[in-house]
Amino acid sequence: MEEKLASLFQALADPNRLRMIELLRKQEWTVGMMANQLGISQPQTSKHLRILYDAGLVTVTIDANRRRYALKSQALEPLDAWQTYIARETERLDRLESFLAESQREESQS
C-alpha cells in the first residue's frame, strides 16, 4: 500500500500531470488534444502521460494512429484511504490538543 501511495503522490506531484488528471476526469483525450489544451509540446505531454500510465492512473486505447487516454478512477481509491487516515489522525491530534489545553487551565487555576 505504501509503495502504491508513493507512486501516486510522485505521479501527481507535477502540476502538468495534475492538470491532465483534471482534464481526464471529464473525458478521454488524445496526446495532441491535451498538448494543445495545456500549451506544452506533444513529446512533453507523452512523457507525462507515460508516467501517469506507469502509476496506473490512466488507460490507453489505440485508435488508428492515435492514442486515447482515459482516467482509471479506481486507481485514485488509495488516495481516499489516505485522506480518511489523515482526517482520523487530525481528529486525534485535535483531541490531544484540547486535553492538554484543559490540563494547563486546570493547573494554572490550582
Side-chain angles (χ1 to χ4, degrees):
M1 179 68 151
E2 286 181 26
E3 288 180 31
K4 184 64 177 168
L5 275 173
S7 174
L8 289 175
F9 285 136
Q10 188 173 19
L12 297 173
D14 184 274
N16 284 319
R17 291 193 291 268
L18 196 54
R19 288 172 52 204
M20 288 175 174
I21 292 294
E22 287 299 316
L23 292 173
L24 290 166
R25 286 179 58 217
K26 297 174 180 85
Q27 68 184 47
E28 289 184 350
W29 291 76
T30 65
V31 174
M33 290 167 46
M34 192 167 286
N36 288 338
Q37 182 70 29
L38 298 174
I40 60 177
S41 72
Q42 285 192 5
Q44 286 177 309
T45 303
S46 292
K47 180 181 174 184
H48 287 304
L49 286 167
R50 178 63 186 195
I51 291 168
L52 294 174
Y53 177 81
D54 289 345
L57 289 165
V58 298
T59 60
V60 182
T61 305
I62 299 174
D63 180 21
N65 63 342
R66 292 184 175 169
R67 294 177 184 267
R68 296 193 167 278
Y69 289 83
L71 180 64
K72 194 173 172 183
S73 54
Q74 67 270 23
L76 297 172
E77 288 174 2
L79 295 177
D80 290 336
W82 175 255
Q83 184 176 0
T84 300
Y85 168 77
I86 293 298
R88 187 176 59 237
E89 292 304 308
T90 300
E91 183 181 322
R92 289 179 64 208
L93 289 172
D94 288 346
R95 285 195 314 260
L96 176 60
E97 184 179 33
S98 295
F99 172 78
L100 292 174
E102 181 64 29
S103 295
Q104 284 179 342
R105 275 193 296 276
E106 287 175 4
E107 245 181 54
S108 66
Q109 291 174 355
S110 298

